[in-house]
Amino acid sequence: MRTLSILSRKGGTGKTTLAVHMAVAAELRGKRSTLIDLDPQLSTFEWRKARLGHSPTPEVAEAKVGSLFTQRLAAARTGVDLLVIDTRPSTDLECAEAVRWSDLCLIVVRPSFFDLKAIVRTAELVRQLNKKALFVINQAPSRRNGEEVQAVIDTYESLIGLNLPVAPVGLRYRAAYQNAVRLGKSVEEAEPGSLAAQEVAALWRLVQDGLWPNLAEQGDEVQALVS
Ligand SMILES: Nc1ncnc2c1ncn2[C@@H]1O[C@H](COP(=O)(O)OP(=O)(O)O)[C@@H](O)[C@H]1O
Ligand SMILES: [Mg+2]
């Protein structure tokens, strides 16, 4: 079993959106996944409620700081392939616990000055604990006339300076994400073949390569951010 945690020190960056999309991406490709929610708002439970009419998976479980170790063991015993930990904009202590038990951390950041400032500590923590991580730019505005928006370029360059890998594909700001989540779905289910679905598939490939390096597989190309 592999563990993926979704981190950022700010609310509204898209942690829960990414968590549910990565958990479903795994399920769609034949891996059993479970979502663990460390946020008392339990947004993943709301998503799951909307989902129950059409799919019984992935499972969703609530967790408290201090219980992750035992919850990981319990999930591993039931044959889960991937545990996705959704976190809240949290104290370092809580974040450290999620990072400690992770094989890969996705650090979610919007192209904004405040988001960038907020993730510096998270990046330090991940480096201190010597964990694999990937910055993911979420809610990136669309290109204008084919040109990347300056805020996205600046964010990308600032992240490179933090000495952790930056995902070359990010998620654009798209209504498709909000619509899919409201239906208890992923964009890969709600709008297969859409640009949003392609972004998620491309991000999943990076995540899969990070978690299961031996399985690295080929796939469709999605236009990279910034390039
Ligand atoms: N790529 C995106 N495009 C459009 N809306 C998004 C995107 N990512 C997240 N959102 C929206 O932003 C809001 C906050 O996202 P959420 O995943 O709940 O963030 P967090 O868990 O970090 O607080 C939600 O309304 C969500 O639908
Ligand atoms: Mg959330």
Side-chain angles (χ1 to χ4, degrees):
M1 188 184 79
R2 302 288 194 272
T3 304
L4 173 73
S5 60
I6 318 286
L7 312 170
S8 85
R9 289 170 59 88
K10 288 188 75 64
T13 52
K15 290 178 293 301
T16 302
T17 301
L18 266 158
V20 302
H21 278 86
M22 292 299 101
V24 172
E27 291 275 342
L28 290 175
R29 291 160 181 85
K31 293 194 189 306
R32 267 191 65 198
S33 65
T34 290
L35 271 163
I36 294 228
D37 202 333
L38 273 174
D39 189 340
Q41 280 189 13
L42 296 177
S43 304
T44 55
F45 280 71
E46 298 300 331
W47 173 80
R48 179 94 172 88
K49 247 188 255 167
R51 184 174 182 77
L52 273 179
H54 45 88
S55 176
T57 61
E59 276 183 38
V60 176
E62 186 180 356
K64 301 250 177 322
V65 189
S67 71
L68 276 183
F69 175 72
T70 43
Q71 277 184 295
R72 272 179 85 239
L73 279 182
R77 266 191 229 114
T78 64
V80 166
D81 301 299
L82 175 66
L83 206 57
V84 180
I85 305 178
D86 186 16
T87 63
R88 63 172 159 170
S90 50
T91 61
D92 285 348
L93 183 73
E94 202 171 299
C95 185
E97 194 189 351
V99 172
R100 184 163 293 122
W101 299 118
S102 294
D103 299 292
L104 177 66
C105 308
L106 294 187
I107 307 175
V108 192
V109 53
R110 288 168 297 194
S112 93
F113 176 75
F114 292 128
D115 273 30
L116 272 169
K117 291 290 163 204
I119 47 93
V120 171
R121 291 257 299 274
T122 312
E124 270 167 20
L125 184 72
V126 167
R127 279 198 305 266
Q128 272 166 16
L129 294 173
N130 207 14
K131 291 290 180 175
K132 261 196 210 175
L134 201 52
F135 285 122
V136 180
I137 300 178
N138 185 32
Q139 306 189 37
S142 299
R143 289 176 176 233
R144 294 209 187 108
N145 305 321
E147 296 283 316
E148 195 64 79
V149 173
Q150 193 59 41
V152 177
I153 297 173
D154 292 348
T155 301
Y156 193 86
E157 285 171 358
S158 302
L159 292 175
I160 298 273
L162 292 175
N163 295 322
L164 286 175
V166 185
V169 288
L171 308 189
R172 299 278 174 189
Y173 187 92
R174 299 185 195 281
Y177 291 106
Q178 298 175 10
N179 295 336
V181 165
R182 195 173 50 242
L183 298 171
K185 292 185 176 182
S186 132
V187 292
E188 289 191 281
E189 298 169 308
E191 299 188 28
S194 63
L195 290 171
Q198 290 174 39
E199 286 170 352
V200 167
L203 182 62
W204 167 256
R205 269 197 303 278
L206 294 171
V207 167
Q208 179 176 270
D209 292 351
L211 291 172
W212 291 276
N214 299 334
L215 290 181
E217 65 173 18
Q218 305 251 313
D220 301 335
E221 289 291 310
V222 164
Q223 188 172 32
L225 287 170
V226 179
S227 67

